[in-house]
Amino acid sequence: MSKKTLFSTAAMIFILLISLSLSGLQAASGNRLPKSADIDKEALKKAQEQKVVQAIKLTEPIKLDGLLEEEVWKNNPPANDFLQRDPVDGAPASEKTEVWVAYDSSNLYVAAYCHDSDPKGIISRLGRRDSFVESDWFFFSVDPYFDRRSGYSFGVNPAGCIVDEVLSNDVNEDDSWDGIWEAKTARVEDGWTLEMRIPFNQLRFPKKEKYTWGVNFMRLIKRKQERAYYAWVPKDDIAFVSRFARLEGIENIDPGRRIEVYPYSVGQAQFQPAEPGNPFQTGHRYLGNAGVDLKVGLKSNLNLDVTVNPDFGQVEVDPAVINLTAYETYYREKRPFFIEGASIFNNFGRGGVYLNANINWPNPRFFYSRRIGRAPQGYVTHEGYVDFPSRTSIIGAFKLTGRVGSGWNIGFINAVTAREYATVDDLITRYQDEVEPLTYYGVLRAQKDINDGQQGLGFMATAVMRDLNNEVLSAILNKNAFSLALDGWSFLDKKRSWVVGGWLGGTFINGSQEDIYRLQQSSMHYFQRPDATHLSLNPEATSLNGWGGQFKLAKQQGNHLVMLSAGALSPGFDPNDVGFQSSGSDVIDLMGLYGYQQMKPGKIFRQWALIGGGSRQYDFGGNNIFSCLGGSFQGVLTNWWNFEYTFLFVPETLNNRLTRGGPLVLMPYGFINELRLASDSRKPVVLEGNFNYQWIHNNSWDWMANFAVRWKPRTNLSLSVGPMIGLSRNETQWVKKVSDPLMTETFGMRYIFAHLDQKIVASEIRINWIFTPTLSLQAYLQPFIAVGKYDRFKQLNRPRAYDFLVFGEGDSTIIEEDGSYLVDPDGDGPAASFYINNPDFNYKSMRGTVVLRWEYRPGSLLYLVWTQNRADFSYPGQLSLWRDLGSLFTAPGDNIFLIKFTYRFDL
């Protein structure tokens, strides 16, 4: 990895130092409210602990219309003691809100009367499900286990749009879960009203005769930027579920067993330019598929998801990127089977420690679901026209999630992917070349809260087993890969201000000698580094093992925040068969941060935070490979604009990744500046900007600006345009390595680099047109142009130094001929000449998709999708914006039209 890449990674991670929820805070209007200094917060906190909501047993059916005409809502006292969290922390809510909870044997009902002194000021916007649009909202949150750490949240806005989330780790929210529930709203003379119906079988809880659950309500009044909670938590306390009020009165219910069947069918038509003579590219292809998903509630607190012949294609395309590093790009998961309930896997190693702070740490994930069904990793061995599968078929999969035994939360995924073949046609014979073996993937996660969440302990185990029966795949794929890791936490005081937590685990891989020899030399390990005394390359090894861990001590309540962490990944650590790691192992990481946050509104800021600290990293040979000092200042202004400014200074250090398996290189000092701005989200036009400048002494600079303009001309229509411009120059961009025994200084190898002048022009365009809460049209378009010009080719002269020979200087020569460069590194000297292929590029891409989504009944969906991809590579190394845009829009395109139909049977 280049130092420029290290800078970029450090900047992105440092900017996300602490989740302070600075955006989306709320403002008051009208009469003067008390200042935060006037409020006795300790007395209010004690009062919150005594709050109880009484659930009412229904004696008459509820007509779900949002009108609150039933007697149960008229004759029972509501919960109405709401306090602001924003804009004045701890002040009484500026508008009255009344809430009731009722139930019958199968459903939980919630009703709310949201009074408003200015009904015309109520903001109501239409949005697709789980789209938290800028409008008024009401949320009902419940903790059915009453474990003070987990639960569910259900939200509805005045337009009837709904969102739902799974709550975990006290403060984490996961909106990937889609429960089957209903909500109706109505506008009344002095506000708006709502009713929710939530089937008990959509929730997880142990069966009892009488229940005590945790509960909270939140009302968002958007025009005032006011958030008011029934169970209030001060802004300087990082907590949520643990502070819920008690919900009592639910008894003698019969949730029933949840059995849902989702058969699906999908049809697809693919059109692309025909290639004369190519039997696989005739210009069109028609495909169809069918399958079924099954969701079963084994008990009231355990769910089983089974899928047979699943359609795991994505509705939205991945964005285009240019990746010139040795490491792969991380893409977000978009397939419902994997994202629903993913929080139990994603929270590994994060329990108890809510401050998420890392600087340049590789942040390994033991489970990265996009490994399952990935593009085949093999290659063809015959020559001719090739029909190569775009992804691996998943034969079947099941997922078990819930709680078992004495409070163990579990998640268990099993999947089997098919053996895949590429078809090769040389116009005489057709061949079937295996490009992916039959593979089993297994992931088991378990986690237990102890002492009401004061401590916690968990583990994760993964397994990948491949049926390798040909020499080609045996040489490039691991036969088996396993991992096992433990995680846990312990709060150090009753207020849960101080916490210690972390994880420790290992990875275990075996395969053929050829495969493990390849793996040792991959970018994740670089065992071949010639100057690394702590590493050795073993060509006869058939296994590779490693360990890793990270431990944190944090203070995460109050004005003063502290984060200390220590982590290490041994040289052999590798979770990538079913996990993901952003950069190589062989790292020891030490980090310390101090922050101060001020949540009381002032004349300039509504709230602000200042964070500072540093990080230092070593490899297992004791070499200092990264260091930095920096700070971040973030806040919300009184006009509801928010900002964040980050500065990092990176001193001179050694780099063990620049030569990609070669010796260490000394990299100069540098710095990073980044500024982010966002305007008031209530306005019809919302502006956002991100400006980044990085500089490394005598090495490189990088300037990038991202803009976004979001326009909301109507309550059901929004348009966003996000142009991006990037300019960079890098003196040490990796090119290749050339063997030369005369280069004794660099261990018999020439490590070749170049000056890269790179320009990127791109944009993301989105249109959201929402007809009803269940019918929407969304369009996404990403034009992307990246141009790179290479020159000043050079070689590293000696290790542990920033010393290069630029070819063409001194006795060396470089001549361009027929799309490549002929290099003679010493002129009339004895060194052999060699060629460098011209690496210039001009990558132009246009990716877009249009999706019509209709939820015609709860849980039943119809999708109509059009996807188009265009690409062009002409004029490498030369950027001419209008010419390149013209080439892009006239380039041949691949078009895919898809219709998918899913129906939910509730048995």
Side-chain angles (χ1 to χ4, degrees):
M1 177 184 288
S2 69
K3 189 159 186 177
K4 177 184 169 185
T5 306
L6 286 173
F7 269 36
S8 301
T9 305
M12 288 188 292
I13 297 175
F14 193 85
I15 288 165
L16 297 175
L17 286 170
I18 299 180
S19 301
L20 295 173
S21 302
L22 292 177
S23 61
L25 299 177
Q26 316 303 317
S29 63
N31 295 331
R32 177 191 178 273
L33 291 171
K35 297 180 180 179
S36 296
D38 302 332
I39 299 169
D40 186 348
K41 291 188 177 181
E42 290 302 318
L44 286 176
K45 288 169 67 175
K46 291 181 180 180
Q48 305 307 300
E49 298 173 0
Q50 309 303 318
K51 284 189 171 182
V52 177
V53 177
Q54 193 70 31
I56 309 155
K57 177 72 173 181
L58 288 173
T59 58
E60 61 175 344
I62 298 291
K63 180 182 179 182
L64 202 71
D65 53 16
L67 295 175
L68 310 191
E69 295 178 336
E70 288 78 13
E71 293 299 317
V72 66
W73 312 135
K74 297 178 180 179
N75 298 332
N76 290 282
N80 57 14
D81 182 17
F82 281 70
L83 296 177
Q84 294 183 37
R85 185 175 170 95
D86 299 296
V88 183
D89 197 17
S94 67
E95 304 287 353
K96 184 179 180 181
T97 305
E98 299 175 299
V99 186
W100 299 263
V101 178
Y103 70 98
D104 57 25
S105 61
S106 302
N107 301 286
L108 188 67
Y109 296 86
V110 179
Y113 196 135
C114 301
H115 298 265
D116 202 303
S117 57
D118 180 16
K120 293 182 179 179
I122 295 172
I123 299 177
S124 176
R125 292 191 60 84
L126 280 168
R128 182 172 162 173
R129 179 169 184 167
D130 288 334
S131 178
F132 190 58
V133 293
E134 290 89 0
S135 73
D136 287 33
W137 285 91
F138 174 84
F139 275 85
F140 162 66
S141 300
V142 61
D143 171 13
Y145 282 123
F146 202 47
D147 60 5
R148 300 294 191 179
R149 288 183 53 78
S150 64
Y152 304 84
S153 191
F154 304 87
V156 61
N157 75 354
C161 299
I162 63 173
V163 299
D164 48 17
E165 301 171 327
V166 172
L167 307 175
S168 62
N169 199 27
D170 197 0
V171 297
N172 293 343
E173 301 171 347
D174 179 6
D175 64 2
S176 64
W177 175 73
D178 284 334
I180 305 300
W181 60 286
E182 298 177 88
K184 297 293 182 180
T185 61
R187 297 294 287 268
V188 293
E189 184 178 351
D190 63 338
W192 63 288
T193 56
L194 64 99
E195 290 174 314
M196 297 179 179
R197 178 167 57 214
I198 304 168
F200 283 122
N201 64 17
Q202 296 296 307
L203 308 176
R204 294 175 183 160
F205 53 90
K207 194 170 184 178
K208 301 178 181 178
E209 291 186 3
K210 295 184 178 181
Y211 298 89
T212 297
W213 292 352
V215 69
N216 204 353
F217 314 110
M218 188 275 280
R219 181 180 175 186
L220 169 58
I221 306 172
K222 189 62 179 178
R223 73 178 183 279
K224 301 181 180 183
Q225 294 285 46
E226 178 180 323
R227 290 177 188 259
Y229 289 82
Y230 180 72
W232 167 77
V233 181
K235 285 199 292 186
D236 55 5
D237 283 2
I238 301 180
F240 184 52
V241 181
S242 59
R243 308 297 176 82
F244 279 11
R246 297 196 307 278
L247 177 63
E248 299 180 348
I250 299 176
E251 58 185 38
N252 300 321
I253 61 176
D254 182 19
R257 175 169 290 186
R258 178 190 181 192
I259 303 178
E260 300 171 5
V261 181
Y262 295 81
Y264 86 89
S265 62
V266 60
Q268 189 177 116
Q270 301 178 359
F271 300 96
Q272 57 186 180
E275 181 180 338
N278 187 341
F280 305 119
Q281 198 161 326
T282 60
H284 55 80
R285 177 181 293 186
Y286 304 100
L287 304 171
N289 202 2
V292 63
D293 294 339
L294 176 67
K295 296 178 182 289
V296 180
L298 301 181
K299 292 184 177 181
S300 59
N301 58 348
L302 199 62
N303 286 339
L304 174 67
D305 291 65
V306 179
T307 182
V308 179
N309 193 31
D311 173 50
F312 278 164
Q314 294 182 185
V315 171
E316 184 173 313
V317 296
D318 291 320
V321 296
I322 283 290
N323 185 351
L324 301 178
T325 74
Y327 302 96
E328 62 182 319
T329 300
Y330 180 87
Y331 289 107
R332 185 171 56 90
E333 179 61 86
K334 301 175 184 178
R335 300 169 296 179
F337 179 86
F338 291 112
I339 62 176
E340 291 179 4
S343 58
I344 188 171
F345 303 101
N346 297 336
N347 286 338
F348 177 82
R350 296 176 58 190
V353 183
Y354 309 138
L355 299 182
N356 185 22
N358 291 299
I359 303 177
N360 207 47
W361 171 248
N363 199 26
R365 297 169 179 253
F366 284 90
F367 179 46
Y368 176 42
S369 57
R370 289 192 61 149
R371 300 294 186 206
I372 304 175
R374 67 190 300 174
Q377 302 168 80
Y379 56 89
V380 298
T381 56
H382 294 90
E383 295 185 356
Y385 293 105
V386 179
D387 183 17
F388 201 94
S390 60
R391 63 175 183 265
T392 305
S393 300
I394 301 176
I395 299 173
F398 79 80
K399 177 173 57 178
L400 187 67
T401 55
R403 182 170 292 198
V404 297
S406 57
W408 282 93
N409 298 296
I410 67 164
F412 188 28
I413 290 180
N414 283 263
V416 177
T417 59
R419 199 179 302 275
E420 294 289 345
Y421 295 89
T423 303
V424 184
D425 192 327
D426 63 5
L427 302 183
I428 299 176
T429 306
R430 281 201 171 186
Y431 305 93
Q432 295 286 312
D433 288 353
E434 185 180 347
V435 292
E436 186 74 19
L438 181 72
T439 306
Y440 164 79
Y441 296 89
V443 183
L444 174 61
R445 167 70 167 137
Q447 182 264 319
K448 178 179 174 59
D449 294 349
I450 303 170
N451 192 20
D452 293 327
Q454 192 72 12
Q455 294 87 31
L457 182 67
F459 72 88
M460 179 177 281
T462 69
V464 178
M465 293 181 283
R466 298 184 174 95
D467 182 20
L468 297 171
N469 58 14
N470 77 53
E471 294 182 359
V472 172
L473 294 181
S474 295
I476 63 172
L477 296 178
N478 305 325
K479 181 173 179 57
N480 298 309
F482 305 98
S483 72
L484 177 63
L486 304 175
D487 70 330
W489 74 90
S490 178
F491 289 102
L492 304 180
D493 60 324
K494 291 184 177 180
K495 292 184 178 181
R496 300 188 175 184
S497 296
W498 286 90
V499 63
V500 60
W503 64 271
L504 179 67
T507 60
F508 317 92
I509 299 170
N510 64 68
S512 67
Q513 289 185 1
E514 295 83 0
D515 169 57
I516 300 302
Y517 189 60
R518 171 203 59 83
L519 184 63
Q520 293 176 81
Q521 299 177 80
S522 69
S523 60
M524 195 58 56
H525 306 288
Y526 287 145
F527 277 19
Q528 72 273 32
R529 284 166 41 198
D531 58 346
T533 57
H534 63 291
L535 300 174
S536 61
L537 187 62
N538 183 359
E540 298 180 355
T542 57
S543 64
L544 180 66
N545 305 323
W547 61 270
Q550 187 182 41
F551 298 91
K552 296 181 178 181
L553 172 67
K555 181 184 182 295
Q556 50 194 16
Q557 306 280 12
N559 296 109
H560 300 274
L561 306 172
V562 176
M563 169 65 77
L564 302 175
S565 75
L569 302 176
S570 77
F573 182 81
D574 191 336
N576 281 334
D577 280 85
V578 73
F580 184 91
Q581 188 170 307
S582 60
S583 61
S585 297
D586 189 16
V587 59
I588 299 170
D589 176 79
L590 303 171
M591 185 195 70
L593 298 172
Y594 168 78
Y596 183 85
Q597 59 178 351
Q598 178 56 261
M599 298 300 180
K600 296 178 182 179
K603 294 182 179 180
I604 300 175
F605 302 106
R606 294 189 178 274
Q607 67 181 55
W608 57 270
L610 180 63
I611 307 156
S615 171
R616 196 169 180 87
Q617 292 181 346
Y618 298 86
D619 66 14
F620 275 63
N623 300 297
N624 179 205
I625 55 174
F626 179 80
S627 295
C628 78
L629 292 171
S632 178
F633 182 47
Q634 50 189 282
V636 180
L637 302 174
T638 54
N639 64 355
W640 295 104
W641 281 60
N642 63 79
F643 70 92
E644 183 172 6
Y645 172 71
T646 300
F647 175 81
L648 281 180
F649 171 73
V650 180
E652 181 180 86
T653 56
L654 295 170
N655 189 313
N656 63 354
R657 304 286 169 182
L658 187 70
T659 54
R660 303 197 181 189
L664 294 164
V665 179
L666 183 68
M667 293 300 293
Y669 66 89
F671 62 80
I672 300 169
N673 286 280
E674 181 152 359
L675 175 65
R676 296 187 181 193
L677 297 170
S679 68
D680 186 348
S681 63
R682 298 171 298 174
K683 304 298 184 181
V685 177
V686 180
L687 306 176
E688 296 179 6
N690 180 21
F691 310 92
N692 179 286
Y693 179 71
Q694 306 176 28
W695 175 83
I696 303 176
H697 179 63
N698 288 334
N699 179 266
S700 66
W701 59 264
D702 185 301
W703 179 86
M704 185 168 290
N706 290 281
F707 305 91
V709 179
R710 186 154 45 94
W711 179 38
K712 299 171 285 186
R714 300 177 60 183
T715 58
N716 68 331
L717 180 64
S718 67
L719 169 67
S720 64
V721 180
M724 186 265 283
I725 301 173
L727 305 173
S728 65
R729 292 183 179 178
N730 182 7
E731 282 292 340
T732 52
Q733 176 61 49
W734 171 259
V735 176
K736 63 184 295 187
K737 59 183 178 181
V738 178
S739 178
D740 188 340
L742 298 177
M743 287 295 296
T744 56
E745 192 77 21
T746 52
F747 306 94
M749 197 72 66
R750 296 186 187 274
Y751 297 93
I752 311 301
F753 302 87
H755 168 265
L756 171 62
D757 188 345
Q758 181 173 284
K759 303 178 179 67
I760 296 176
V761 180
S763 183
E764 289 193 351
I765 302 168
R766 294 182 183 270
I767 299 175
N768 294 313
W769 193 357
I770 314 300
F771 306 107
T772 72
T774 58
L775 179 63
S776 63
L777 180 69
Q778 294 182 303
Y780 169 80
L781 183 67
Q782 188 210 25
F784 182 90
I785 300 174
V787 179
K789 175 65 177 177
Y790 287 76
D791 58 17
R792 287 179 53 81
F793 293 91
K794 57 179 70 69
Q795 70 178 29
L796 178 67
N797 282 336
R798 53 193 176 94
R800 293 178 172 266
Y802 190 77
D803 183 8
F804 297 89
L805 168 66
V806 178
F807 299 132
E809 297 180 0
D811 295 329
S812 65
T813 62
I814 182 169
I815 302 173
E816 185 174 3
E817 54 180 46
D818 297 327
S820 61
Y821 296 91
L822 175 62
V823 177
D824 187 337
D826 61 355
D828 296 331
S833 300
F834 58 89
Y835 282 93
I836 300 174
N837 292 327
N838 189 342
D840 292 351
F841 60 86
N842 186 332
Y843 173 58
K844 299 175 283 292
S845 167
M846 178 83 76
R847 300 185 179 188
T849 184
V850 179
V851 179
L852 179 69
R853 179 187 184 273
W854 179 30
E855 188 173 3
Y856 55 91
R857 64 189 303 270
S860 300
L861 294 167
L862 174 67
Y863 283 102
L864 298 175
V865 183
W866 170 36
T867 299
Q868 185 180 88
N869 291 321
R870 295 175 180 267
D872 183 82
F873 304 91
S874 58
Y875 305 103
Q878 306 172 38
L879 174 64
S880 176
L881 184 59
W882 297 113
R883 180 203 63 202
D884 290 340
L885 284 173
S887 299
L888 179 56
F889 280 99
T890 57
D894 297 343
N895 291 277
I896 299 175
F897 298 90
L898 178 146
I899 180 170
K900 182 178 180 181
F901 175 83
T902 302
Y903 190 87
R904 173 180 175 266
F905 291 95
D906 188 355
L907 306 180

